[in-house]
Amino acid sequence: MSEYFDVKGVSSSGKELDEVKNDEGIEVIAIDMSRQITPIKDMKSLWSTYKLLKKEKPNIVHTHTPKAGIVGMLAAKLAGVPHRLHTVAGLPLMEATGTKRKVLDFVERLTYSSATMVYPNSKGLYEFILQNNYTDQDKLKVIGNGSSNGIDTTFFSPEQISDTQKELLKKELNIEDTDFVFVFVGRLVGDKGINELITAFSQISKEAEPPHRSKLLLVGPLEQELDPLHPDTLKEIENNQDIISVGFQKDVRPYFAIADVLTFPSYREGFPNVVMQAGAMELPSIVSNINGCNEIIIEDQNGVIVPVKNDGQLKEAMEKMISDKDYYQHLKKNARSMIQSRYEQSVVWNALLNEYKTLIEKK
């Protein structure tokens, strides 16, 4: 976009923001935004964003994430920004109930009413927004086939990881060549289905006998403060030698490269990058039947779709991947090509660029 526009990135401060500045070669501005419901902090964020937008006078403000959405869209409307665009890439309110759900519903409607266009990044989210009357249909649009950013299939490619790299990593993690490796990439929290995944895998590892030994590789940070895992889950992760937790990793490609299947039993998503990344790395996926996941994965073609919060059917799908080699190879053969044909990053970028240009020309 910086080939066509003067782009400025706004987010909370931290090393990630500095990385964006260096990687993308754009100016970045730090405005603190809490990920939780914090009215006083949120008002400070709103005021800081409003002052910034009055000073910069942008043609377009494009927000991502619920908190940046409500702060950015309200501030942009108050500042008179002509094009106020918000991408919806997952809704935490899907798992909320009671008063919290009512508050989040109100915030979502306020965000959309302040925006001039709203872009759900999956068809499932598009339908969910309409069903809940968050905004009118003429404000909604899915860019391309979905996804916020597409996937760079040159970067996410098995060819990027050498055999030597894979052997060294396997040795470091005590993974044998004969092990069947399931991988999860993401935050280790309840909403990602980690409790069900650990329950399913612990049963598999207890019942397995050579040559059907398997390992579960967990790649991502533990976030107990926001959405804690069950104590039994934490205990199993710590004590089961077949479960390997490596924490947050900036480059997840080597971990995909030594794995056989992505297991991603999340409760809610927008359009999960992880499932596209795994596919581009030639991994079939086991995903839950939620929007985004059930658009990227087509049953029996590049993966398996299981019911949400069902550790029994998750276990069955994992066992079939291990035992039915022909079935597994069929899914693996299709995995990369099905990502390349639908979600190549350049296609998504060009679709978004065309959207920006069209909006400005109309105005």
Side-chain angles (χ1 to χ4, degrees), residues 125-177:
L125 273 178
Y126 179 98
E127 294 300 329
F128 183 85
I129 290 167
L130 285 181
Q131 288 165 9
N132 286 272
N133 298 313
Y134 291 145
T135 192
D136 296 329
Q137 189 169 4
D138 57 4
K139 258 194 188 182
L140 291 176
K141 184 175 183 180
V142 176
I143 300 290
N145 291 311
S147 168
S148 299
N149 199 37
I151 185 80
D152 183 349
T153 60
T154 301
F155 183 78
F156 283 96
S157 168
E159 296 177 1
Q160 296 290 342
I161 311 300
S162 69
D163 290 340
T164 303
Q165 283 177 279
K166 288 188 281 188
E167 288 307 314
L168 287 172
L169 185 55
K170 281 189 194 176
K171 187 174 181 181
E172 178 189 332
L173 300 177
N174 196 27
I175 293 174
E176 302 291 336
D177 289 339

Side-chain angles (χ1 to χ4, degrees), residues 95-351:
E95 288 298 311
T97 56
T99 302
K100 184 178 180 182
R101 174 61 185 259
K102 290 177 181 177
V103 170
L104 294 176
D105 279 341
F106 171 76
V107 169
E108 209 65 20
R109 289 191 176 95
L110 184 56
T111 301
Y112 299 174
S113 67
S114 302
T116 54
M117 284 295 294
V118 177
Y119 303 109
N121 71 349
S122 73
K123 294 168 187 172
L125 273 178
Y126 179 98
E127 294 300 329
F128 183 85
I129 290 167
L130 285 181
Q131 288 165 9
N132 286 272
N133 298 313
Y134 291 145
T135 192
D136 296 329
Q137 189 169 4
D138 57 4
K139 258 194 188 182
L140 291 176
K141 184 175 183 180
V142 176
I143 300 290
N145 291 311
S147 168
S148 299
N149 199 37
I151 185 80
D152 183 349
T153 60
T154 301
F155 183 78
F156 283 96
S157 168
E159 296 177 1
Q160 296 290 342
I161 311 300
S162 69
D163 290 340
T164 303
Q165 283 177 279
K166 288 188 281 188
E167 288 307 314
L168 287 172
L169 185 55
K170 281 189 194 176
K171 187 174 181 181
E172 178 189 332
L173 300 177
N174 196 27
I175 293 174
E176 302 291 336
D177 289 339
T178 53
D179 288 337
F180 192 94
V181 180
F182 296 99
V183 64
F184 170 88
V185 178
R187 295 177 298 114
L188 303 186
V189 294
D191 276 5
K192 293 292 184 182
I194 298 299
N195 294 308
E196 289 81 4
L197 176 56
I198 296 303
T199 298
F201 181 78
S202 64
Q203 293 174 11
I204 291 170
S205 62
K206 285 173 188 172
E207 297 167 4
E209 295 179 2
H212 297 304
R213 295 297 302 175
S214 57
K215 296 281 173 71
L216 174 60
L217 185 53
L218 302 175
V219 184
L222 189 65
E223 292 190 356
Q224 285 295 92
E225 70 282 0
L226 285 177
D227 183 14
L229 298 175
H230 295 161
D232 289 346
T233 298
L234 293 169
K235 187 177 179 181
E236 184 70 16
I237 291 172
E238 187 177 341
N239 296 332
N240 190 328
Q241 294 184 342
D242 290 330
I243 299 175
I244 305 160
S245 185
V246 298
F248 172 79
Q249 301 292 325
K250 187 177 179 183
D251 188 358
V252 297
R253 294 174 301 168
Y255 299 90
F256 284 132
I258 63 169
D260 297 292
V261 172
L262 173 72
T263 44
F264 197 72
S266 182
Y267 297 175
R268 59 172 183 83
E269 293 291 328
F271 207 87
N273 287 326
V274 166
V275 181
M276 292 189 290
Q277 291 167 357
M281 293 293 291
E282 294 185 352
L283 294 191
S285 294
I286 300 171
V287 300
S288 45
N289 190 15
I290 58 173
N291 60 256
C293 287
N294 58 18
E295 295 171 40
I296 300 168
I297 297 303
I298 298 175
E299 181 77 17
D300 295 333
Q301 292 192 33
N302 60 343
V304 179
I305 301 172
V306 298
V308 181
K309 304 180 185 180
N310 191 315
D311 53 81
Q313 291 201 34
L314 176 59
K315 174 177 177 279
E316 289 178 14
M318 294 169 77
E319 287 175 329
K320 184 171 183 178
M321 291 287 191
I322 299 170
S323 61
D324 193 334
K325 292 181 171 56
D326 289 340
Y327 179 70
Y328 168 75
Q329 288 298 331
H330 167 70
L331 301 180
K332 181 180 174 66
K333 184 181 73 172
N334 294 333
R336 181 169 167 82
S337 61
M338 289 182 69
I339 298 301
Q340 285 177 307
S341 62
R342 295 179 293 162
Y343 305 116
E344 181 61 57
Q345 194 167 70
S346 60
V347 175
V348 178
W349 284 359
N350 284 324

Side-chain angles (χ1 to χ4, degrees), residues 31-32 41-51 70-76 78:
I31 292 178
D32 286 330
K41 288 182 180 178
D42 295 343
M43 290 302 293
K44 289 180 179 177
S45 301
L46 177 62
W47 177 244
S48 297
T49 306
Y50 169 75
K51 287 195 298 181
I70 184 62
V71 170
M73 290 295 93
L74 262 179
L78 292 170

